[in-house]
Amino acid sequence: MSQTTAALRLRRAIARTRRVTRDRAPVGCRPEEADDVRGTFATDGALGFDPFPFLRALYDAGSRAVVIGQVAGIMHGSTELTGDLDLLWEGTPDEARALRAALAACGCTEPPDLGREQVGYRVTGADGDLCTPVLRWGDLDVTPCLARAQTTHDPEGFAVRYAALDDLIRMRRALGRPKDHRRADELAHLRRTPPHSG
């Protein structure tokens, strides 16, 4: 697989999100209010969703945060769209400084409390959760997912770290919501028959 494949998959998905939501009116539902079946694509988070400025800011700030959730699924070939960007990070002071710099660069006016194991954030183009390995994922220890993360290179000149496929499947199974089972099944199928990279 090309070093740019995952980034290009995400860029195509964001373009598709823009097309299919072009005429959709806001419903007053934020990503954190998403149900456990349809996910955040059914919320207002999908309207204008563009994670790339924040992903670029993370790279520029030297952050080693790892993309998880459905954005990572899309980077592995999932066809299901989303409306939020979730990240797994180490929880260290150095990484917190990098996250704060990236958040500020992308218009975050209410800095989240990075001392928490999970906290929501909002920047221009994206909402989501910042999670540390302290957060419980059922019986799964997600700490090794940080070291096993894959890297893709965006054509715009920056790199994005994202959860490895097997780790993402395990994370989905551990969470166990209807959308997680559905997406884990899709990812498991992709593992057996990888999509074309073109």
Side-chain angles (χ1 to χ4, degrees):
M1 185 169 70
S2 166
Q3 289 188 329
T4 63
T5 297
L8 291 174
R9 284 175 180 156
L10 182 56
R11 286 204 173 269
R12 287 193 293 267
I14 297 307
R16 186 159 61 98
T17 299
R18 193 175 298 118
R19 288 194 304 273
V20 300
T21 61
R22 184 177 296 128
D23 299 321
R24 195 168 97 185
V27 295
C29 182
R30 291 175 48 78
E32 61 268 24
E33 300 168 318
D35 66 44
D36 289 343
V37 177
R38 294 177 299 167
T40 58
F41 183 68
T43 73
D44 293 346
L47 306 180
F49 180 59
D50 182 2
F52 280 99
F54 189 41
L55 293 173
R56 176 63 187 257
L58 290 166
Y59 174 79
D60 289 343
S63 170
R64 290 186 52 78
V66 173
V67 174
I68 57 174
Q70 186 55 14
V71 169
I74 289 168
M75 296 172 83
H76 284 292
S78 172
T79 60
E80 192 169 330
L81 300 176
T82 188
D84 69 343
L85 172 67
D86 296 328
L87 299 167
L88 180 67
W89 67 289
E90 297 170 350
T92 62
D94 284 347
E95 184 61 29
R97 281 190 288 272
L99 281 176
R100 288 190 191 99
L103 289 162
C106 290
C108 179
T109 57
E110 298 181 20
D113 178 3
L114 296 181
R116 297 170 56 189
E117 60 191 28
Q118 179 182 15
V119 65
Y121 73 91
R122 175 184 285 184
V123 293
T124 302
D127 293 22
D129 287 324
L130 301 171
C131 308
T132 72
V134 177
L135 181 65
R136 294 299 302 271
W137 297 75
D139 295 328
L140 178 67
D141 177 9
V142 299
T143 305
C145 300
L146 290 162
R148 291 193 293 252
Q150 296 178 234
T151 301
T152 184
H153 295 272
D154 187 84
E156 294 294 322
F158 60 96
V160 179
R161 300 182 74 225
Y162 63 107
L165 182 57
D166 287 346
D167 285 332
L168 193 56
I169 293 171
R170 282 190 285 266
M171 294 168 84
R172 288 292 191 201
R173 300 284 189 214
L175 289 173
R177 298 164 298 189
K179 66 179 181 180
D180 294 309
H181 286 302
R182 179 179 72 242
R183 291 168 176 176
D185 289 344
E186 181 191 25
L187 292 172
H189 176 74
L190 292 173
R191 189 181 187 282
R192 294 189 296 271
T193 56
H196 295 296
S197 60

